[in-house]
């Protein structure tokens, strides 16, 4: 569980840096302070990184699940 939580947090970090790279480079503090007032696609501001990070995590988890079903774990 601890491993999956760390993977999830890393996915959130990578997605945030990839999607908002110019804002993180130009004005990172202002970008973080504006988080409660932001949002995307109807998802409220403060939870939108969690929702989109979870969606990206699911996209990464699905291949891991499929590979895990076909590998031999003794």
């Amino acid at each position: 569980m601890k491993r999956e939580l760390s993977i999830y947090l890393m996915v959130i970090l990578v997605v945030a840096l990839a999607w908002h790279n110019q804002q993180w480079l130009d004005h990172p503090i202002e970008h973080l302070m504006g988080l409660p007032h932001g949002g995307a696609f109807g998802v409220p501001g403060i939870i939108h990184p969690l929702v989109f990070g979870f969606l990206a995590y699911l996209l990464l988890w699905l291949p891991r699940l499929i590979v895990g079903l076909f590998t031999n774990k003794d």
Side-chain angles (χ1 to χ4, degrees):
M1 184 72 174
K2 191 175 187 180
R3 178 178 179 232
E4 294 300 316
L5 182 61
S6 64
I7 291 171
Y8 174 64
L9 293 175
M10 290 303 295
V11 165
I12 289 176
L13 181 65
V14 168
V15 169
L17 290 173
W19 196 265
H20 300 282
N21 61 355
Q22 196 60 41
Q23 290 88 347
W24 285 109
L25 293 175
D26 289 345
H27 50 277
I29 302 299
E30 291 86 4
H31 188 64
L32 278 176
M33 298 303 286
L35 186 60
H37 308 292
F41 301 109
V43 180
I46 198 71
I47 66 166
H48 89 268
L50 301 175
V51 171
F52 293 120
F54 184 70
L55 293 175
Y57 174 77
L58 285 179
L59 288 174
L60 293 173
W61 178 76
L62 189 60
R64 290 173 49 209
L65 174 69
I66 293 170
V67 168
L69 289 174
F70 293 109
T71 57
N72 187 8
K73 296 179 184 177
D74 288 331

